[in-house]
């Protein structure tokens, strides 16, 4: 079965699933598709709007088993009617999770449904006329919101430009293009190596990529494809052997969550054909093989393939993807220069309903050797992660009672066959506000704490906490050394977080909870299936199970190495098939 045939089959399956979940009772939810998590429909790009695209793609596709299905057509019309009923007077929609009257969430829907509208008009089947007219009405109603609406997050800007582009092509209104150009004038937030602000390999990279492809297409701005190209090229080095993407340092909700490369399919396919690039072709093939769902809007794969039939099959031969490499991403990015200019921006470090993402552009090392895949990272709660076949060490973290919390590594330098990292924290105390800066309330009957200008307090007794880490690749696996020269005793914890699907065994383990293990001595082994890791380097200098602001993920197995300052401590990780003892040997 070809990738295209596989996509058609999955789309048919989900079309029937959506029809089964469609609300048939008259009322405010009539025609919507109930979501399993809530039991209620949503007009969002992952809700009913997505099923409108899935149904339409089946109806207009001669290769679908549901081609021109009258039952599906009736469901499609009900779904579009629900979208119209859910649309506010200002043209926006409100997804149920948050973001009421949301221009960006409306933008996600517009870019997908505009493509559906194109497909319906292209299909010369008179029964589709009413659905096409209703869909156009929904799209035209969104124009005022797109001309005036704003965003929360970096990727929302490109979702809005794509939506504005599709509406511009639909209506011909120049002010829509002008609004898109206003957003684009802010500049594109992508490093030379291809990293977007949110560092979200599992979700928002693919969102930004497809949105800018559509913006470039609709507004005839091919220069917008360059950051997409860079991001896709970068992603070739952020794949584990099974097609899972690296999410260990994400700045969004995919952080530490398992995501595969499937959502990149349309962007990789589009760019592979556009550039004639064999590596991007291979990436699109990998993504296609992993697809298990048609995708939310505007990244619905079958809609994209039907709209641009040349994408159904590759016209170039794929090249092998890299399986053995050592790279440092963002190695040449002058992050310090940009951070030093932050004060000049005038926002004083405050941004509402979003984050500033100062970790953008921080260096990340990726090491791959066949079935072994390692990540060394900065500006995250973890600085090392390792996959060895089915055995998954999800995170290596260092935390302390200084902050308290996880220590983020701020620098990364290559050192021989490994990497040198360092992280530093400062913490002090704050003196009284000088009299000339005190507000009137300070001399009144009540002086609320929150009215005092705390930013003007002088710092006293400031202390520094500096941690170094050295991660080295060895013949048998890896070694990790952490150091701190602080003279007075301070509790520190090195935590190794393993996938809960495996087993962690060793004589020196002391269960502290269902998921936490203190480690006093000996060698422990973590394994899943035939793949395993042996770890040496126990320490139990204190018995704390954690510190404030430190949370270990449920459903995982976390091994705790408890240290006291000063320390210079090494753990060794020996991998199966790397010269280690055979099963049963000591």
């Amino acid at each position: 079965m070809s990738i295209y045939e596989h996509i058609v089959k999955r789309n048919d399956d989900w079309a029937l699933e959506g029809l089964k979940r469609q609300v048939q009772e008259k009322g405010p939810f009539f025609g919507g598709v109930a979501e399993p998590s809530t039991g209620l429909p949503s007009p969002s790009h992952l809700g009913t709007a997505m099923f409108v695209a899935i149904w339409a793609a089946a109806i207009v596709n001669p290769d679908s088993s549901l081609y021109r299905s009258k039952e599906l057509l009736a469901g499609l019309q009900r779904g579009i009617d629900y979208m119209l009923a859910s649309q506010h007077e200002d043209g926006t929609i409100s997804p149920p999770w948050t973001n009421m009257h949301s221009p960006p969430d409306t933008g996600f829907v517009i870019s997908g449904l505009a493509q559906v509208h194109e497909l319906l008009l292209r299909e010369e089947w008179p029964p589709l006329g009413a659905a096409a007219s209703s869909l156009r009405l929904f799209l035209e109603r969104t124009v005022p919101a797109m001309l005036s609406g704003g965003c929360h997050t970096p990727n929302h800007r490109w979702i809005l430009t794509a939506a504005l582009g599709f509406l511009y092509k639909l209506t011909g209104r120049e002010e829509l293009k002008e609004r898109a150009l206003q957003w684009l004038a802010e500049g594109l937030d992508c490093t030379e190596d291809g990293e977007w602000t949110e560092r979200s390999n599992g979700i928002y990279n693919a969102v930004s990529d497809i949105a800018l492809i559509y913006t470039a297409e609709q507004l005839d701005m091919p220069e917008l494809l360059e950051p997409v190209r860079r991001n896709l090229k970068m992603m070739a080095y952020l794949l584990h052997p099974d097609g899972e993407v690296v999410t260990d340092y994400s700045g969004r909700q995919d952080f530490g969550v398992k995501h595969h490369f499937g959502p990149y399919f349309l962007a990789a396919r589009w760019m592979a054909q556009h550039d004639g690039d064999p590596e991007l072709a291979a990436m699109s093939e990998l993504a296609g093989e992993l697809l298990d769902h048609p995708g939310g809007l505007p990244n619905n794969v079958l809609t994209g393939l039907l709209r641009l039939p040349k994408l159904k099959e590759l016209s170039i031969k794929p090249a092998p993807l890299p399986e053995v490499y050592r790279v440092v991403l963002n190695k040449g990015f002058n992050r310090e220069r940009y951070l030093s200019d932050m004060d000049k921006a005038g926002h004083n470090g405050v941004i509402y309903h979003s984050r500033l993402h100062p970790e953008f552009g921080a260096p990340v090392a990726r090491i791959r050797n066949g079935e072994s895949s390692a990540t060394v990272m900065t500006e995250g709660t973890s600085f090392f992660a390792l996959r060895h076949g089915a055995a998954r060490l999800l995170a290596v973290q260092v935390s302390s009672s200084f902050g308290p919390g996880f220590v983020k590594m701020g620098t990364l330098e290559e050192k021989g066959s490994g990497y040198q990292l360092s992280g530093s924290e400062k913490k002090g105390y704050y003196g009284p506000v000088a009299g000339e800066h005190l507000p009137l309330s300070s001399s009144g009957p009540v002086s609320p704490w929150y009215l005092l200008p705390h930013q003007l307090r002088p710092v006293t007794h400031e202390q520094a906490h500096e941690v170094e880490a050295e991660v080295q690749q060895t013949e048998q696996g890896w070694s990790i050394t952490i150091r701190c020269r602080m003279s007075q005793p301070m509790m520190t914890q090195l935590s190794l977080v393993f996938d809960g699907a495996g087993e962690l065994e060793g004589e020196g383990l002391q269960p502290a909870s269902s998921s936490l293990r203190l480690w006093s001595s000996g060698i422990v082994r973590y394994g899943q299936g035939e793949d395993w890791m042996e770890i040496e380097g126990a320490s139990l200098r204190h018995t704390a199970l954690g510190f404030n602001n430190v949370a270990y993920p449920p459903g995982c197995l976390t091994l705790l190495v408890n240290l006291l300052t000063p320390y210079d401590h090494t753990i060794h990780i020996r991998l199966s098939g790397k010269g280690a003892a055979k099963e049963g040997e000591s």
Side-chain angles (χ1 to χ4, degrees):
M1 181 184 294
S2 70
I3 288 176
Y4 168 69
E5 291 169 334
H6 167 70
I7 290 171
V8 172
K9 175 65 169 60
R10 296 304 290 145
N11 194 84
D12 283 356
D13 293 341
W14 280 96
L16 295 174
E17 173 67 17
L19 207 59
K20 186 168 60 177
R21 286 165 31 196
Q22 190 172 40
V23 177
Q24 304 291 338
E25 297 79 18
K26 296 293 183 181
F29 299 122
F30 175 71
V33 179
E35 299 183 8
S37 60
T38 64
L40 298 175
S42 158
S44 80
H45 64 291
L46 299 174
T48 302
M50 176 184 71
F51 281 99
V52 167
I54 290 171
W55 291 329
I59 291 170
V60 304
N61 185 12
D63 296 321
S64 168
S65 63
L66 301 171
Y67 178 57
R68 293 190 175 181
S69 162
K70 294 290 183 65
E71 181 184 9
L72 208 58
L73 175 60
L76 173 67
Q77 185 63 62
R78 289 192 297 267
I80 297 173
D81 290 343
Y82 167 78
M83 293 298 298
L84 286 166
S86 300
Q87 193 172 28
H88 304 302
E89 289 186 6
D90 62 9
T92 62
I93 61 165
S94 294
W97 51 81
T98 183
N99 296 351
M100 300 298 101
H101 289 253
S102 170
D105 286 289
T106 307
F108 275 98
V109 168
I110 290 167
S111 295
L113 295 188
Q115 296 178 67
V116 172
H117 182 256
E118 288 182 32
L119 294 179
L120 296 184
L121 291 182
R122 190 185 300 173
E123 183 72 6
E124 296 180 358
W125 189 39
L128 281 175
S133 296
S134 297
L135 208 51
R136 183 179 181 107
L137 175 60
F138 176 90
L139 293 168
E140 288 178 337
R141 284 181 179 178
T142 67
V143 169
M146 291 300 100
L147 288 174
S148 63
C151 69
H152 283 160
T153 65
N155 78 83
H156 281 172
R157 296 172 296 170
W158 319 138
I159 285 296
L160 290 170
T161 60
L164 287 159
F166 276 109
L167 290 175
Y168 168 66
K169 279 295 181 70
L170 180 70
T171 67
R173 294 177 59 173
E174 283 295 326
E175 61 266 38
L176 289 161
K177 182 176 181 179
E178 291 169 6
R179 180 69 169 183
L181 293 177
Q182 278 186 288
W183 287 113
L184 291 167
E186 293 190 0
L188 298 173
D189 54 316
C190 186
T191 69
E192 185 177 336
D193 281 354
E195 182 175 273
W196 293 109
T197 292
E198 292 152 288
R199 306 208 304 170
S200 173
N201 301 326
I203 301 175
Y204 292 106
N205 281 2
V207 167
S208 293
D209 288 349
I210 198 65
L212 279 174
I213 284 173
Y214 288 138
T215 303
E217 176 194 64
Q218 298 300 305
L219 300 181
D220 191 23
M221 299 179 69
E223 64 272 21
L224 299 179
L225 299 178
E226 178 52 32
V228 178
R229 185 178 293 113
R230 295 201 304 268
N231 180 255
L232 290 171
K233 291 287 190 178
M234 180 188 79
M235 286 305 301
Y237 299 102
L238 289 162
L239 296 173
H240 296 303
D242 61 355
E244 180 187 352
V245 300
V246 175
T247 61
D248 307 294
Y249 58 88
S250 173
R252 294 300 304 275
Q253 66 264 38
D254 57 320
F255 169 65
V257 179
K258 193 169 185 177
H259 286 266
H260 62 64
F261 192 61
Y264 288 83
F265 171 76
L266 266 184
R269 193 69 137 207
W270 202 100
M271 291 300 300
Q273 300 286 60
H274 179 274
D275 289 0
D277 189 307
E279 184 178 61
L280 293 180
M283 295 179 76
S284 79
E285 289 289 278
L286 173 63
E289 292 166 1
L290 293 167
L291 279 171
D292 53 6
H293 188 279
L297 304 184
N299 207 10
N300 181 273
V301 290
L302 189 54
T303 302
L305 293 182
L306 294 176
R307 182 171 164 268
L308 299 171
K310 66 180 181 180
L311 301 182
K312 290 181 182 179
E313 303 294 338
L314 283 171
S315 59
I316 49 177
K317 184 178 179 181
L321 291 175
E323 295 184 354
V324 178
Y325 54 78
R326 286 186 63 194
V327 298
V328 177
L329 302 172
N330 296 323
K331 182 177 180 180
F333 181 64
N334 193 350
R335 181 166 166 257
E336 290 72 21
R337 188 200 103 199
Y338 290 100
L339 289 174
S340 68
D341 287 342
M342 194 187 297
D343 289 343
K344 301 174 185 176
H347 49 56
N348 297 316
V350 178
I351 184 171
Y352 297 101
H353 312 298
S354 187
R355 290 182 56 226
L356 287 170
H357 297 279
E359 65 277 8
F360 166 61
V364 174
R366 284 282 301 141
I367 308 93
R368 174 88 184 272
N369 189 354
E371 292 301 303
S372 290
S373 176
T375 310
V376 184
M377 62 212 110
T378 56
E379 296 294 351
T381 57
S382 167
F383 65 88
F384 182 71
L386 174 65
R387 308 291 195 276
H388 181 62
R392 303 169 75 230
L393 173 56
L394 303 176
V396 177
Q397 307 161 302
V398 59
S399 57
S400 79
S401 55
F402 179 87
F406 291 116
V407 179
K408 293 184 177 182
M409 298 298 171
T411 66
L412 181 152
E413 295 180 4
E414 293 180 273
K415 183 177 180 179
S417 59
Y419 308 89
Q420 185 80 36
L421 302 102
S422 66
S424 62
E425 305 173 299
K426 290 185 177 180
K427 182 180 180 181
Y429 302 84
Y430 302 90
V433 178
E436 65 267 26
H437 299 309
L438 288 171
L440 291 175
S441 58
S442 66
S443 58
V446 177
S447 178
W449 171 262
Y450 54 73
L451 291 182
L452 295 171
H454 298 288
Q455 73 277 12
L456 300 178
R457 294 183 183 275
V459 178
T460 80
H461 296 79
E462 187 173 67
Q463 302 296 303
H465 176 218
E466 298 181 352
V467 177
E468 296 176 354
E470 189 172 312
V471 179
Q472 286 287 338
Q473 191 169 15
T474 67
E475 289 186 4
Q476 295 184 335
W478 292 86
S479 69
I480 300 172
T481 299
I482 61 169
R483 303 183 184 94
C484 181
R485 297 175 176 85
M486 182 179 288
S487 58
Q488 66 269 30
M490 184 182 68
M491 292 186 295
T492 300
Q493 195 164 75
L494 187 69
S495 50
L496 287 75
V497 182
F498 298 95
D499 181 8
E503 295 184 359
L504 187 62
E505 300 174 327
E507 293 181 0
L509 293 178
Q510 301 177 23
S513 72
S514 60
S515 61
L516 295 179
R517 303 290 185 271
L518 292 170
W519 185 24
S520 61
S521 62
I523 296 174
V524 299
R525 175 179 286 198
Y526 171 79
Q528 189 168 349
E530 297 181 356
D531 303 311
W532 49 263
M533 307 176 185
E534 282 189 343
I535 304 100
E536 183 177 3
S539 177
L540 191 58
R541 297 291 308 280
H542 60 85
T543 57
L545 299 181
F547 310 112
N548 290 340
N549 303 322
V550 169
Y552 295 122
C556 295
L557 295 170
T558 301
L559 182 65
L560 303 178
V561 181
N562 284 359
L563 306 167
L564 284 178
T565 56
Y567 56 79
D568 187 333
H569 189 81
T570 300
I571 65 169
H572 298 281
I573 302 173
R574 187 167 53 170
L575 304 176
S576 55
K578 293 286 185 178
K582 295 180 181 178
E583 197 75 38
E585 293 181 356
S586 60

